[in-house]
Amino acid sequence: MEFVVEEGKKPHDQCSTLLLPALSIGNAGQLAMDLMVSSTRAERIGFFDDPFLLPCVGNDAYGPQPQGQLALPLEAYDSPSNALTLVQQRSPVVKGKMVEFAKNLADFAAATGKKHAVVLSSLDFGRCRNIDMSSGLQTYYLSSTNSDGTDDYCEQLGWKRLQEYNPTQRCWKYLSTLAEGNALQDDNPFEDELEEEDYYPSLPFAALFSCFKAKGLKVTCLLCYCSEGDNIQDAFHLAEAACKLLGLSPSNFHGNEGNGWLIPYSWKSVYGPPPDMSIF
């Protein structure tokens, strides 16, 4: 992976926390990153050229006026006032190359002096075992702070550790070993028929978690269950969780919403135009 710094710009040393999505159902993590980039008014400082990422290109996702700045598959934004580097991923990883991609991102984080990586992602609501919607959307987490994935601060925030995390389970264990560079490809359990317990370690967030952890970084995954459809509220949920974890207040973002959020311009057409009500 090559990181290309934009002309006339440079990374900020004070941005010690890395915030990024892991692709999953509903693209909730990516939508949350759009919301965070827009609301913090982060500045794009560069982009990544990675052989394991499918190519894509589009218009500027944040500015209402065309500036001639194309949106690329993997970009980095800095928000020095919030000590954040935000990475947005807009295209999927080549099949079978997620661990290699995660290693490249972990190498970048370590080389640029990041101390904490926060991964935003979603989980398939159809696989949720204990459904309790009495208090709204629930935030789940997975942390490298303790070997069992727990974190006292996350617990204080009222979040639940992902119960399906088991570092001794074959796929979680394989990911950890592979992230440390010790596994042989012939031992890959993901090539076998996956069982129910293999679902979570097969997701992109699990590879990112394992690779950042192997580099000695603190890593926290923030997760929520959702379904395909309009996932705007799931994006708000994950973005708000990230702010709580990092001690940020959305009310200080001075956005176009009453609560401080700045809605990305690209969201105006994310689900197409409203239906023609005359057909009803």
Side-chain angles (χ1 to χ4, degrees):
M1 174 186 284
E2 179 185 4
F3 179 61
V4 181
V5 180
E6 292 207 6
E7 184 177 354
K9 298 180 182 178
K10 65 177 182 178
H12 298 81
D13 294 336
Q14 66 267 42
C15 295
S16 59
T17 298
L18 179 66
L19 185 65
L20 72 160
L23 272 62
S24 188
I25 187 168
N27 299 319
Q30 292 164 287
L31 289 169
M33 286 306 305
D34 266 345
L35 189 59
M36 289 296 296
V37 170
S38 177
S39 298
T40 60
R41 303 179 189 271
E43 176 187 37
R44 191 171 81 169
I45 58 167
F47 60 90
F48 300 86
D49 184 12
D50 190 280
F52 305 124
L53 201 62
L54 295 177
C56 75
V57 68
N59 290 326
D60 178 16
Y62 306 110
Q65 301 298 326
Q67 301 292 325
Q69 179 170 285
L70 295 176
L72 300 173
L74 195 64
E75 300 174 325
Y77 297 79
D78 268 4
S79 176
S81 61
N82 297 301
L84 272 179
T85 293
L86 306 97
V87 168
Q88 176 61 300
Q89 180 184 344
R90 294 193 173 88
S91 67
V93 175
V94 174
K95 185 177 180 179
K97 297 297 182 181
M98 185 60 216
V99 173
E100 287 86 348
F101 173 73
K103 283 183 177 179
N104 287 343
L105 278 177
D107 288 341
F108 164 79
T112 53
K114 306 304 179 200
K115 306 300 182 185
H116 188 190
V118 180
V119 180
L120 307 181
S121 193
S122 50
L123 305 170
D124 185 356
F125 191 81
R127 293 179 178 268
C128 185
R129 295 180 180 177
N130 301 309
I131 301 176
D132 180 11
M133 300 299 292
S134 60
S135 57
L137 283 174
Q138 176 67 50
T139 302
Y140 294 84
Y141 77 91
L142 181 61
S143 172
S144 63
T145 302
N146 298 310
S147 60
D148 63 353
T150 59
D151 181 276
D152 290 342
Y153 183 60
C154 290
E155 293 289 333
Q156 291 173 18
L157 291 172
W159 301 339
K160 299 179 181 179
R161 193 211 68 163
L162 183 68
Q163 293 181 349
E164 289 77 9
Y165 176 66
N166 178 5
T168 64
Q169 190 265 349
R170 62 168 191 157
C171 288
W172 284 110
K173 190 173 182 180
Y174 175 78
L175 272 180
S176 178
T177 306
L178 189 61
E180 294 168 357
N182 299 322
L184 298 175
Q185 201 64 31
D186 295 340
D187 300 329
N188 190 350
F190 294 108
E191 294 180 349
D192 302 332
E193 185 175 348
L194 295 182
E195 300 176 6
E196 184 71 20
E197 64 179 6
D198 301 327
Y199 167 69
Y200 292 91
S202 72
L203 297 178
F205 85 87
L208 290 168
F209 175 80
S210 300
C211 291
F212 282 123
K213 183 179 179 181
K215 277 292 181 180
L217 278 71
K218 179 181 179 181
V219 53
T220 307
C221 297
L222 301 180
L223 312 162
C224 71
Y225 283 95
C226 71
S227 303
E228 292 285 359
D230 185 342
N231 298 104
I232 295 298
Q233 289 305 312
D234 303 303
F236 272 104
H237 180 78
L238 286 175
E240 288 167 356
C243 287
K244 286 182 180 179
L245 179 70
L246 301 174
L248 305 178
S249 176
S251 61
N252 296 328
F253 291 158
H254 306 295
N256 52 15
E257 293 289 296
N259 52 11
W261 293 108
L262 180 62
I263 303 302
Y265 188 73
S266 58
W267 283 17
K268 289 183 177 294
S269 59
V270 68
Y271 293 113
D276 182 358
M277 299 307 293
S278 64
I279 67 176
F280 298 105

